[in-house]
Amino acid sequence: QVQLVESGGGLVQAGGSLRLSCAASGSIFSVKQWGWYRQVPGKQRELVAGIASGGSTNYADVVKGRFTISRDNARNTVTLQMNSLKPEDTAVYYCNARTYFYDSNYWGQGTQVTVSS
């Protein structure tokens, strides 16, 4: 199993920046893909950014050029740097880990990001 704990959410004005961190523990060696997702009430959870075990990254079109996902293997953390935030970025952000074994999904508890206009 993989345990994930997010931190770094909060309230920021439009145009500002936030940095989300995800601390991972457990069977980290089994993870093939890390990701950050977000969800607003009444909508499905959506992928914001992902990073594979090999280091390749992918982003939702709406955040390209503004958000950056990175991984620190030594500290077992995955970070999402969010710049030029917009009110529509307001959501609960979740860290995700997908494993090689059975394609299992693990989620953190989520962290609230609120962007005021």
Side-chain angles (χ1 to χ4, degrees):
Q1 290 193 343
V2 179
Q3 294 79 41
L4 304 170
V5 178
E6 301 101 334
S7 61
L11 173 64
V12 65
Q13 287 189 333
S17 298
L18 278 176
R19 186 180 182 88
L20 304 183
S21 291
C22 174
S25 60
S27 302
I28 298 170
F29 65 92
S30 68
V31 177
K32 63 179 177 180
Q33 177 83 18
W34 303 90
W36 283 96
Y37 288 71
R38 67 188 183 188
Q39 188 170 25
V40 297
K43 291 191 176 181
Q44 284 192 330
R45 195 169 295 186
E46 63 177 6
L47 176 68
V48 174
I51 183 166
S53 58
S56 61
T57 58
N58 61 286
Y59 296 91
D61 287 343
V62 294
V63 306
K64 281 182 180 176
R66 299 189 296 123
F67 291 11
T68 303
I69 189 171
S70 61
R71 187 185 64 194
D72 185 333
N73 291 330
R75 299 185 179 186
N76 294 329
T77 58
V78 180
T79 299
L80 184 68
Q81 178 66 44
M82 305 186 294
N83 299 327
S84 302
L85 283 162
K86 304 176 181 180
E88 51 264 43
D89 293 319
T90 295
V92 178
Y93 283 71
Y94 295 91
C95 182
N96 171 267
R98 186 183 295 269
T99 67
Y100 289 102
F101 305 117
Y102 310 108
D103 206 29
S104 298
N105 258 319
Y106 296 93
W107 297 95
Q109 81 285 358
T111 185
Q112 177 71 46
V113 171
T114 303
V115 184
S116 63
S117 57

